[in-house]
Amino acid sequence: MEIWINPACSKCRSAISLLDAEGADYTVRRYLEDVPSEDEIREVLDRLGLEPWDITRTQEAAAKELGLKEWARDAATRDRWITALAEHPKLIQRPIITAEDGTAVVARTEDAVRDALSR
């Protein structure tokens, strides 16, 4: 199990605390420092069953500078979104936990973290 975190994020710290409390075996990836490649983002999206715009933090300054809210959300623009996430990792929603069964969850709630632990 791996968890993508930003240590400054309270939701990430809460998820880590719950994983620790449950004795989970996991690896931390500080994705702002160890930036995921476009292929890694594609893999996580496949595991999540989501599209890149579903995990994009559109309120971030970089999102506003890029005009992401105006971008189409379709197959033709999918790669453009993925490139933006790779170039601006702060736009990636957090935390993301990749579960043992090959799936992943955006673990912003205690229930989502527990869901990942049960997989």
Side-chain angles (χ1 to χ4, degrees):
M1 175 180 300
E2 182 177 75
I3 182 169
W4 290 9
I5 68 159
N6 172 352
C9 168
S10 63
K11 301 271 186 199
C12 293
R13 292 191 306 271
S14 294
I16 293 284
S17 293
L18 183 54
L19 291 174
D20 288 343
E22 295 295 324
D25 182 24
Y26 65 93
T27 304
V28 171
R29 180 171 186 170
R30 293 178 180 219
Y31 70 92
L32 297 179
E33 299 164 17
D34 182 9
V35 178
S37 68
E38 290 183 24
D39 285 341
E40 288 174 306
I41 292 169
R42 281 186 192 88
E43 179 186 340
V44 163
L45 287 167
D46 288 346
R47 293 175 79 166
L48 287 165
L50 297 173
E51 293 297 336
W53 46 85
D54 295 327
I55 65 162
T56 300
R57 300 171 57 82
T58 58
Q59 298 304 316
E60 293 288 336
K64 291 176 183 174
E65 289 171 21
L66 292 169
L68 288 183
K69 285 192 176 185
E70 311 309 317
W71 289 14
R73 297 176 181 215
D74 58 24
T77 60
R78 188 174 198 266
D79 284 342
R80 183 179 184 201
W81 282 87
I82 291 169
T83 298
L85 293 174
E87 291 177 355
H88 306 277
K90 195 168 190 176
L91 296 176
I92 300 171
Q93 190 58 266
R94 66 209 180 227
I96 293 175
I97 297 176
T98 55
E100 296 294 327
D101 69 353
T103 62
V105 297
V106 178
R108 296 189 55 76
T109 65
E110 184 176 318
D111 286 345
V113 175
R114 291 191 186 287
D115 180 38
L117 285 168
S118 72
R119 295 179 182 202

